Each structure stands twice: as C-alpha cells, then as structure tokens.
Amino acid sequence: MTNPEPEGPQPGGDPEFPSPIAAEGGSGRPVYLRRQPAWSYFLTPGAILIAALIIAGAIWWQPGSDDDGSPASPAAGGTAAASTAPAGASPTAAAQASLLDAFLGYARTVGLDEQQLMQCLNDGANVQLINSHLQRGNQLGVSGTPTFFINNKKLVGAQPTALMLEIIEKERSPNPPTSLDAYSPQLQQLAATNPPSFEILPARPDLSGAAFEGSPNARVVIAEFSDFQCPFCLRWNQVTLPEVRKLLGDEVALAFLHFPITQIHPNAGNASLLAICAGKQGKFWEMHDLLFARQQEWGNLR
C-alpha cells in the first residue's frame, strides 16, 4: 500500500526544521508571522524568543534571516499588496488583495468582531501558543503534516479514511490494543516503515492549548498537528474529516494543534494566528473550515 507522506521535512533533512514563530508585541499593529533564522530555535521553557518585527501591508524582513543580508524573496515574506477589494469579491479581485485584506474578509464571513480580532492579533501570548505547539510536536517526533495521535496511537500522513476509522474503533473498545498484531495488514505495513508511519506510544500527548471539537474528556481524542497551508492537510480535511465528524461528541473528539511549516508555507503561521483569534470569539472551527476551503485563495497572498 502506498504511504502518503506528510508535507514537511523527512528524516535525514534539516535537523532544525521547522523553526518556531516569534513576534514583537506592543507595537499597536497586527501581529504577523514569518520564518525565523535557524539559530532562534534554541528556546527554553519560559524564554520564548520575541524577535520578529511584523508589519501588515508593508515590505519587511528580519535582519539575519537570509545569509546574504538581502530582503526576503516573495516566497518568504515579500510585499503585501495594497487593495480595496471588498469582502466577498470574486477570486480575481481577491487575488489583488493583501493577506490581511483576505483574512479580515474571512473574519466578517464568520461573524467576528473586528476590533477584538485586531487586539487579539497583537497579543504575543497567541504567538507563544503556536511556538509551544511547534516545540511539543518536535518533542513527539512530528516532522511533517498532518500527523495524528489517536490517544497513544501515532499515525503519520493523510492516510486512507478506513485506516483512521479502524484505529478510532479499536480505541473505543473496552480494551484498546497494546500490540500491533491487533491491527490490519495495512496498518502493520505502515508500522514497518522506517521511520514508522504508525506506532503505539507509551502515553497520550499533552493537548494543553489545543482547540477541541467534541468533548475534551472523550474516551477517544484524535489530536492533529496541522498546517493550514499544507495541501495534504487540505486533502485530509476534504476526504476524512467529514467521516470523523460523524463520530464526534461525548465519546470521540478532535483536537487541533498548530504546526505551521513556514519555510515552505510562509502564510501558515498567519493563518494559525487568525484561527486562534477566531477561537477567542468561539469561532475556531468555522475559521478552520474556511481557511482550508479557501487555501488556494490566500496561500500566495502577501
């Protein structure tokens, strides 16, 4: 069976990938995110690096981000195009908008209070939350997106829906499996890859700060480390999530953790921040669904 690889660095690649996201708070401007230099990844608990100046709608770069000292290329940050495109404009008009224009349009679509949103975008604590999820994912061996933890069962990549449902159903049983022998040949095959794409871990991951759909106290929690700009995450959301959502409630829940790989997805950190701020107004999942549905629209904006 073909194993769909998650998007992102694979073992043997850059050991410092992905780097965290940081932001400078208190500027009175929307907090926007981008790639950090490799040296900035060495963070310690309680010492989150506050280093990147973020200015919506302007050309900017972080000194030291590029070896030659030149401004970042469009693929890594570039210029935010000015636009007066109204909310709900056609895709052609939206293509001329800046990323902030598009995100404010999405905020109106899901019914967010714009003043509260702008205040939230300036709150450095939300950026620190993304950093904490990135660090946690790295500690758990997450090297690409999407990566799932169904209780203590780790599944890497946008695998076939039937495999996800198999794991969920076994976790719902009175005695969830403790051996790979209990699973289908397809899952055993994934477990035999190097590194394994399916494995049984000693314990469930820490889900503090995650957004939940379904009860946080559910017997089965599907924790997803995801990147809003990742095409494989989009595929999972289009194909498998609708089936998983049929099960969500008191017994099965979904938890979303942010793992934006900004080296290849320069807008992913911004999208995570927008989703977090939508969550502050009770609209995380509405924004989650909208960001994935319109990934092609906002993914290349500046």
Side-chain angles (χ1 to χ4, degrees):
M1 187 180 98
T2 301
N3 172 24
E5 293 291 342
E7 184 157 52
Q10 301 303 311
D14 183 352
E16 295 174 346
F17 193 127
S19 61
I21 297 169
E24 180 178 45
S27 66
R29 290 171 293 221
V31 176
Y32 253 30
L33 315 175
R34 63 155 294 170
R35 173 172 59 88
Q36 283 291 104
W39 54 262
S40 72
Y41 184 59
F42 299 99
L43 308 179
T44 58
I48 299 297
L49 189 66
I50 306 300
L53 177 61
I54 299 160
I55 305 174
I59 300 175
W60 75 279
W61 66 90
Q62 183 179 7
S65 291
D66 300 292
D67 293 340
D68 62 1
S70 61
S73 68
T79 307
S83 171
T84 57
S90 68
T92 300
Q96 305 304 315
S98 72
L99 186 63
L100 182 59
D101 290 331
F103 282 0
L104 290 177
Y106 300 163
R108 290 188 287 271
T109 297
V110 302
L112 300 185
D113 180 282
E114 189 169 314
Q115 183 176 359
Q116 291 182 38
L117 174 65
M118 299 302 282
Q119 291 173 348
C120 181
L121 292 175
N122 277 299
D123 188 348
N126 298 320
V127 180
Q128 292 182 23
L129 175 62
I130 301 173
N131 270 331
S132 73
H133 286 187
L134 281 164
Q135 289 180 293
R136 198 177 312 163
N138 275 279
Q139 291 165 1
L140 290 165
V142 175
S143 61
T145 54
T147 295
F148 304 91
F149 295 83
I150 305 94
N151 290 346
N152 67 326
K153 312 304 190 295
K154 181 180 178 182
L155 182 67
V156 179
Q159 303 293 346
T161 302
L163 299 186
M164 173 70 74
L165 296 179
E166 177 186 344
I167 300 169
I168 294 171
E169 286 308 305
K170 289 186 183 297
E171 290 301 299
R172 296 177 73 179
S173 68
N175 298 299
T178 58
S179 169
L180 293 170
D181 295 337
Y183 293 96
S184 65
Q186 291 84 356
L187 283 171
Q188 291 184 41
Q189 182 178 349
L190 292 180
T193 61
N194 184 21
S197 292
F198 177 63
E199 59 184 315
I200 300 175
L201 303 180
R204 298 186 184 198
D206 173 14
L207 300 182
S208 57
F212 278 85
E213 186 171 0
S215 171
N217 299 316
R219 178 181 181 84
V220 182
V221 177
I222 305 144
E224 175 191 5
F225 282 85
S226 187
D227 174 318
F228 283 108
Q229 204 175 343
C230 160
F232 298 108
C233 301
L234 172 60
R235 184 173 69 187
W236 188 84
N237 276 266
Q238 291 173 330
V239 176
T240 303
L241 181 57
E243 297 304 312
V244 169
R245 275 182 162 153
K246 295 175 183 177
L247 305 175
L248 300 182
D250 292 336
E251 191 173 351
V252 179
L254 180 66
F256 186 98
L257 296 102
H258 300 271
F259 203 81
I261 304 175
T262 55
Q263 287 89 339
I264 55 176
H265 299 148
N267 290 341
N270 299 302
S272 281
L273 185 59
L274 178 64
I276 289 170
C277 289
K280 300 289 186 181
Q281 298 187 42
K283 299 285 188 178
F284 176 87
W285 292 103
E286 290 87 346
M287 185 61 74
H288 166 281
D289 292 353
L290 185 58
L291 284 168
F292 276 119
R294 300 201 182 173
Q295 187 187 89
Q296 297 301 314
E297 180 178 281
W298 59 265
N300 293 317
L301 296 180
R302 296 289 176 260

